[in-house]
Each structure stands twice: as C-alpha cells, then as structure tokens.
Amino acid sequence: MDQHSLVERFLRYVKIDTRSDEDSATHPSTAKQHKLAELLAEELKDLGLTVDYDVEHCYIYGYVGPSEGNTEDDLGFIAHLDTSPAVSGKDVKPYIISAYDGHDDILDPEEFPELKNHIGEDLIRTDGTTLLGADDKAGVAEIMEMLAYFKANPDVSHRGIAVAFTPDEEIGEGTLFFDLNRFHAKQAYTVDGGKFGVLEYECFNAAMATVEIKGRSVHTGSAKGIMINASILATEFINLIPADERPENTEGYEGFYYLDNIRSDCEHARMQFLIRDHDKEKFEGRKEYMLDAAFTINERYGTELCSIRIDDQYPNMKMFLGDHMDLIERAKEAVRQSGGEPTSEPVRGGTDGAILSSRGLPCPNLSTGGYNYHSRYEYASIPEMQKSLEVLIRLAQ
Ligand SMILES: [Zn+2]
C-alpha cells in the first residue's frame, strides 16, 4: 500500500472548502459541497465504479461488483463530505510534521495529552486558523484509497463494494435524503471515527422536549394575587430536573437532561431540553420524568399553564445490530490484523449510522486516525490513517 498516495489524496480533499451551514434552509445546506462531490464522482468512475450522483441533494452512490468467484455479501462504506460549521474550513493549509517530537507551535501535549501517544509519528495539522477537515475527509480519502488499491491489485479478491458520500452530516441532516434503494449493500460501515481501533456501535437514544409555560402579566404595582410570571415557573421547572443528570455532570453510559435553550418573559416561557440515554428503558423513564415535571407545575398552580411536547430524534444503533454483530466482530479482527487493539466506546451523541441502522442498514462506525475534531487544533496521524485504510481493505475482501 502506498502511504504517499493516501496522504496526497487527503491533502487534495481538505483544500476544498465544504463547510455546511446550520442556518441554511437548502439541501445541501451549502452549494460548495458539490465541488468535492463532483471530484469524487469523476474519481470513482476512473476507479471503475458505476456512479449515481444525486445532483439535487448532493449524495454520491458508487458500486463495484465482486471479484470473480467472491461470494461474500456486498459491503458498504459511507463518509461525509461536509466539515463542521463551528470553525472555518476555507483556505485550509495542511502542514505535515515529520516525526513529531512533542514540540510544535500548534500541537502541545500539555494541552492535548493524547499527543503523547503520537511522538515519533508523522502528523498533519493546519496553520492554526482553520480546522483540518480530517472529519471526515480522512474517511473519504481512506475509502477512495481502498478502491484504488483494489483497482491496482486485481489479484486481490474483494466483495461487491458500495460507497456513499453524504452532505450535511455536521448539521444533523446527513441522512435526510439518503436513498437506501440507490445503495447496493445491506450492511455498511460509516468511516467517521477518530482514534485508530475505536469502534462505535452504541449511541444515545435521543429526544427533544419542548416546554411551554403560559403566564399572566399585569402591572407590577397591582400584581398581588394576579400575576403569574412564566419566567419564574420556568426556573421552577428546571429545578425539578436532577442537577446531577446534566451533561457537565455525566460521562460514559450516564444519560442526561440538557437545557438547550430558554426564552422567557412574564407572559410566556419556552424551553427546549435534550434527553439522552443509551439505555432504552431509562430513556423512556426520562421522558416520563419530564412529563411528570410539567404535571407538577400544573398541580402547584392549579391550572394548565405548562405544556410539553416530546419528539424522538434518533435511536441507539445497538438495538438494530442484533443480527449483525458479525459486523463488529469482523471489524475488531481487521483492527487486530492491522496492528491495533480494538476498543469500543459508547458514543455520547448520535451518528448517521444510527439513523441508517434504524432504517434497516446496519452501520457501525470505524476510526480514521483523526483527532480534535471541529477545532483549529484538529490533526491526523498518518500511520493511523494508513492502518485505518488497511482495515477497510481487509473488511472488503
Ligand atoms: Zn464526522
């Protein structure tokens, strides 16, 4: 495998600005994501894949049939085109640190202890003014390089390989227009993780609760016994939610309630809470708890002032992997064969794979070798990218 080729490919992709925009109402959220999509469509064709480019929504589906005699099931790989709106992705100037020795203007191990594990490695960072875009162009580059590997090595037998590149993952819309009928595999991996060897196949169950409180506004001078201040009721509501079950007080498998936003005056208050839990039963319990809190407020004031609506957002992927745990086992084995120690971490968030899994495409997440996502300190480890590529090649055989 040609390390130079993977790095060259990655550097080419990160220089294309594909930042998505959460305030946009269009799909894709930014037209510039097409620029990378168009390039990938061309490259996929050159690599011998049939390409189906959903130009309207900026999704690319590619497929190459199995090598002669390979009877394994088709396998899919998915990565996203966009980069986070949190930090600029324009004019990314990637810089390669050869044999990182712990001394660097941007990457300081005192600030980011993980860097101590990368002493001696070649790393890629930016000039510190933009993100790098390893999230997820490392995934894109590794998938493309895997295809290039099979093209260059026709003697290595591979399965039928389906690939998809999607827009707007970073604003939670990566699967909005994902068309399973255009994707040629029944099982897939997203290639959108970080540290090499970490497999992600558990995420939160997620819902959003919208709480509305009606108040009664009158002149403060003559308010006695009449005024109902919606803002005060909102704080009462918040105080009913356990303080030790907030994001800042939880980790690992601990779920939480997160007060995402609040807008209030005397007349009206509106709050949105995110409800998160890996455990389905506890998750449902949390929803009940919020309904009870609204009930308590109404009981206290003897009237229907508080209303609540709870909308499910995404489910824990693990629930849908029941019959497909072989995907996890195979990925672990591939990591070991590529010189790593597989670990799995519960994702404290969601993934596109969670949504796809719930729609019938089981889809755990593989690592790419990138770190410090959504930040000016984002970097990628070249040896870990290389090993991540090896994992893809093994899985596709
Ligand atoms: Zn990502």
Side-chain angles (χ1 to χ4, degrees):
M1 273 162 281
D2 183 356
Q3 173 168 312
H4 180 74
S5 163
L6 174 62
V7 172
E8 181 274 330
R9 188 182 287 281
F10 174 68
L11 298 183
R12 231 160 10 92
Y13 297 160
V14 299
K15 285 176 192 159
I16 302 171
D17 178 8
T18 58
R19 189 184 191 176
S20 50
D21 177 3
E22 54 215 336
D23 297 324
S24 161
T26 61
H27 305 285
S29 68
T30 53
K32 56 191 173 188
Q33 296 179 66
H34 277 295
K35 225 179 129 191
L36 179 56
E38 282 160 13
L39 174 69
L40 294 173
E42 282 311 308
E43 293 188 1
L44 285 170
K45 279 181 208 153
D46 291 343
L47 291 170
L49 281 82
T50 52
V51 176
D52 176 5
Y53 182 6
D54 176 355
V55 177
E56 189 187 352
H57 302 113
C58 196
Y59 286 67
I60 292 195
Y61 308 89
Y63 181 72
V64 56
S67 307
E68 213 181 301
N70 191 313
T71 55
E72 298 281 334
D73 290 336
D74 290 351
L75 187 61
F77 298 93
I78 300 167
H80 64 90
L81 300 163
D82 64 319
T83 61
S84 168
V87 180
S88 171
K90 192 171 185 295
D91 298 325
V92 172
K93 295 185 189 65
Y95 174 82
I96 296 180
I97 307 173
S98 304
Y100 177 68
D101 63 3
H103 301 283
D104 181 72
D105 292 345
I106 314 258
L107 298 181
D108 178 1
E110 292 306 309
E111 224 173 320
F112 306 106
E114 168 69 32
L115 279 164
K116 291 175 188 156
N117 302 325
H118 299 288
I119 304 281
E121 293 182 0
D122 293 346
L123 304 180
I124 309 175
R125 63 156 168 79
T126 69
D127 61 1
T129 63
T130 65
L131 49 64
L132 176 62
D135 177 12
D136 185 22
K137 286 161 188 164
V140 174
E142 288 156 15
I143 291 171
M144 294 299 285
E145 200 59 29
M146 165 193 67
L147 297 168
Y149 171 83
F150 286 122
K151 173 128 201 271
N153 296 275
D155 48 315
V156 181
S157 171
H158 64 80
R159 307 155 170 253
I161 302 171
V163 301
F165 300 115
T166 63
D168 290 340
E169 189 271 351
E170 299 291 0
I171 58 168
E173 297 180 355
T175 58
L176 212 52
F177 296 96
F178 194 105
D179 187 347
L180 288 175
N181 296 319
R182 292 164 92 160
F183 190 69
H184 286 260
K186 300 267 180 291
Q187 291 190 325
Y189 296 95
T190 51
V191 187
D192 188 22
K195 185 183 172 71
F196 175 67
V198 178
L199 305 169
E200 296 171 331
Y201 57 93
E202 294 179 85
C203 64
F204 278 142
N205 295 289
M208 176 185 274
T210 306
V211 180
E212 306 258 2
I213 296 173
K214 279 187 294 206
R216 190 189 297 139
S217 180
V218 291
H219 190 279
T220 49
S222 51
K224 188 164 182 179
I226 306 169
M227 178 188 281
I228 298 173
N229 189 338
S231 298
I232 300 290
L233 265 57
T235 63
E236 279 192 39
F237 186 96
I238 293 165
N239 286 332
L240 290 171
I241 308 300
D244 54 353
E245 296 178 25
R246 294 177 187 155
E248 62 268 41
N249 298 327
T250 55
E251 62 184 356
Y253 282 109
E254 295 165 343
F256 59 72
Y257 306 91
Y258 169 57
L259 175 59
D260 182 55
N261 62 75
I262 173 167
R263 233 177 27 225
S264 80
D265 52 28
C266 186
E267 191 87 334
H268 181 242
R270 181 177 185 271
M271 299 178 276
Q272 288 187 306
F273 290 85
L274 304 184
I275 305 172
R276 300 289 186 263
D277 211 300
H278 293 98
D279 184 280
K280 177 77 173 155
E281 218 166 291
K282 287 187 189 158
F283 174 63
E284 294 302 331
R286 286 181 188 283
K287 291 193 209 168
E288 282 297 318
Y289 195 95
M290 296 226 57
L291 294 173
D292 284 349
F295 185 77
T296 301
I297 296 290
N298 286 332
E299 238 182 5
R300 276 183 198 171
Y301 293 90
T303 169
E304 296 289 311
L305 295 174
C306 183
S307 64
I308 180 167
R309 199 184 79 212
I310 298 182
D311 297 303
D312 281 327
Q313 292 175 300
Y314 55 83
N316 184 348
M317 182 192 330
K318 198 181 179 188
M319 289 193 292
F320 305 96
L321 290 180
D323 299 336
H324 301 277
M325 286 309 278
D326 58 309
L327 274 175
I328 310 296
E329 291 314 313
R330 289 206 313 263
K332 283 184 182 165
E333 190 50 35
V335 167
R336 273 186 216 106
Q337 289 172 349
S338 306
E341 194 43 56
T343 55
S344 58
E345 277 171 18
V347 180
R348 290 181 63 76
T351 71
D352 274 1
I355 309 254
L356 294 174
S357 297
S358 73
R359 280 165 56 185
L361 179 69
C363 215
N365 190 33
L366 300 173
S367 58
T368 66
Y371 291 85
N372 286 353
Y373 287 172
H374 305 186
S375 138
R376 297 181 294 111
Y377 304 98
E378 187 182 5
Y379 64 96
S381 154
I382 294 179
E384 290 198 10
M385 286 178 66
Q386 184 65 31
K387 286 192 235 173
S388 300
L389 164 61
E390 283 177 39
V391 165
L392 302 192
I393 291 172
R394 287 181 208 283
L395 288 170
Q397 285 182 29

